[in-house]
């Protein structure tokens, strides 16, 4: 599974757009990029997944450049409840039981 | 209904004791996992079962023994508990993805079991 690098922490204010970038220089052809969110005292929760270009759902957008060596999770108009740890994961997910390799994640703190 | 449920939520015990954590998923998934999150918040895979078959067995002490009676359950038994076993243990489940365009291996996590060994 490809190694990922993301900022340790980020600060924002309510209503702002937050962009968290993840580097994955060794991403393989069959690898997908997945982001999870973890609130204190809870398990990680799937946010979004993509392979290339742009993916958008009701929670976030994921931007992936053509070389796929990085990706950016975009959270529009964050609120206090978006304060959490965000994990970027990269890997081939076709095999049964592929374990997720979690790094340190990015701790996002949203203030009023 | 909770998709992935773990019991107990908190577990406080003495060194040397044996304890079990139970996990159940009602999502119809074919794969279940146990992860350990230590005090530094690193989340590491311990075991994975696919259709009741052990497919991932990371380097963990053999005091940890997973058991999967059926696809919906994956329990974790820990013998001779040690101080270093104190952590939060998460159970997760997923369905093996097929084909492109379908989100793959999305894992659904339980709320965690906080184990404190005194």
């Amino acid at each position: 599974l490809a190694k990922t690098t993301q900022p340790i922490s980020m600060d924002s204010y309510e209503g702002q757009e937050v962009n968290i970038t993840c580097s994955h220089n060794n991403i393989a052809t069959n690898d997908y990029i997945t982001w999870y969110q973890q609130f204190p005292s809870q398990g990680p929760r799937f946010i979004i997944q993509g392979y290339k270009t742009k993916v958008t759902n009701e929670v976030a957008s994921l931007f992936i450049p053509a070389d796929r060596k990085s990706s950016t999770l975009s959270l529009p108009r964050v609120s206090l409840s978006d304060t959490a740890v965000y994990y970027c994961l990269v890997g081939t997910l076709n095999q049964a039981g592929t374990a997720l390799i979690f790094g340190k994640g990015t701790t996002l703190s949203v203030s009023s | 209904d909770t998709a992935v449920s773990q019991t107990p939520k908190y577990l406080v015990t003495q060194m040397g004791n044996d304890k079990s954590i139970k996990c159940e998923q009602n999502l119809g998934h074919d794969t279940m996992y146990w992860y350990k999150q230590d005090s530094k918040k690193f989340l590491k895979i311990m075991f994975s079962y696919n259709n009741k078959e052990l497919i991932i067995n990371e380097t963990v002490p053999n005091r940890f023994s997973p058991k999967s009676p059926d696809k919906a359950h994956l329990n974790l038994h820990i013998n001779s508990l040690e101080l270093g076993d104190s952590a939060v243990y998460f159970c997760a489940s997923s369905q093996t993805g097929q084909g492109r365009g379908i989100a793959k291996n999305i894992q659904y996590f339980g709320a965690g079991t906080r184990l404190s060994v005194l």
Side-chain angles (χ1 to χ4, degrees):
Chain A
L1 294 172
K3 181 180 178 180
T4 61
T5 302
Q6 48 184 128
I8 295 296
S9 63
M10 294 183 69
D11 296 316
S12 181
Y13 291 97
E14 285 188 290
Q16 289 186 333
E17 178 184 77
V18 171
N19 296 309
I20 306 175
T21 297
C22 178
S23 297
H24 28 81
N25 292 319
N26 296 323
I27 190 169
T29 302
N30 294 327
D31 284 347
Y32 280 74
I33 301 159
T34 311
W35 286 79
Y36 280 77
Q37 172 192 55
Q38 185 177 23
F39 296 114
S41 302
Q42 294 187 28
R45 183 175 72 108
F46 171 83
I47 300 177
I48 198 167
Q49 185 182 81
Y51 183 81
K52 62 180 179 181
T53 62
K54 176 184 176 182
V55 180
T56 298
N57 61 23
E58 64 278 5
V59 177
S61 294
L62 179 60
F63 298 92
I64 305 168
D67 65 6
R68 306 204 321 128
K69 293 184 181 298
S70 67
S71 59
T72 299
L73 174 72
S74 180
L75 304 172
R77 297 180 298 281
V78 295
S79 63
L80 295 176
S81 62
D82 292 316
T83 294
V85 179
Y86 293 82
Y87 296 97
C88 166
L89 297 95
V90 172
T92 303
L93 306 172
N94 289 320
Q95 296 176 320
T98 301
L100 298 178
I101 306 299
F102 287 84
K104 297 180 180 179
T106 298
T107 299
L108 173 65
S109 299
V110 181
S111 303
S112 57
Chain B
D1 285 341
T2 303
V4 180
S5 59
Q6 299 179 224
T7 54
K9 188 172 178 63
Y10 300 97
L11 186 54
V12 181
T13 187
Q14 300 288 330
M15 283 177 55
N17 285 350
D18 303 337
K19 292 294 180 183
S20 292
I21 307 172
K22 296 184 177 181
C23 179
E24 176 182 6
Q25 56 95 1
N26 62 6
L27 298 169
H29 289 165
D30 62 1
T31 307
M32 296 185 72
Y33 312 77
W34 276 110
Y35 288 84
K36 177 182 179 182
Q37 188 166 43
D38 59 25
S39 58
K40 295 182 179 179
K41 304 300 182 184
F42 288 115
L43 200 62
K44 298 180 181 179
I45 182 69
M46 299 176 68
F47 303 102
S48 178
Y49 272 75
N50 175 253
N51 289 317
K52 301 197 304 177
E53 180 181 348
L54 181 65
I55 55 173
I56 295 177
N57 186 1
E58 291 296 309
T59 306
V60 300
N62 56 17
R63 299 181 293 103
F64 290 79
S65 54
K67 290 187 179 179
S68 182
D70 54 57
K71 286 198 307 181
H73 296 84
L74 180 61
N75 303 322
L76 183 65
H77 188 75
I78 314 171
N79 291 326
S80 303
L81 279 157
E82 300 177 357
L83 293 176
D85 297 332
S86 295
V88 181
Y89 293 84
F90 288 100
C91 176
S93 73
S94 70
Q95 179 63 37
T96 306
Q98 296 293 331
R100 297 180 69 86
I102 299 174
K104 299 181 184 296
N105 196 22
I106 296 173
Q107 296 192 11
Y108 294 81
F109 286 77
T113 296
R114 183 173 295 277
L115 171 64
S116 298
V117 182
L118 307 178

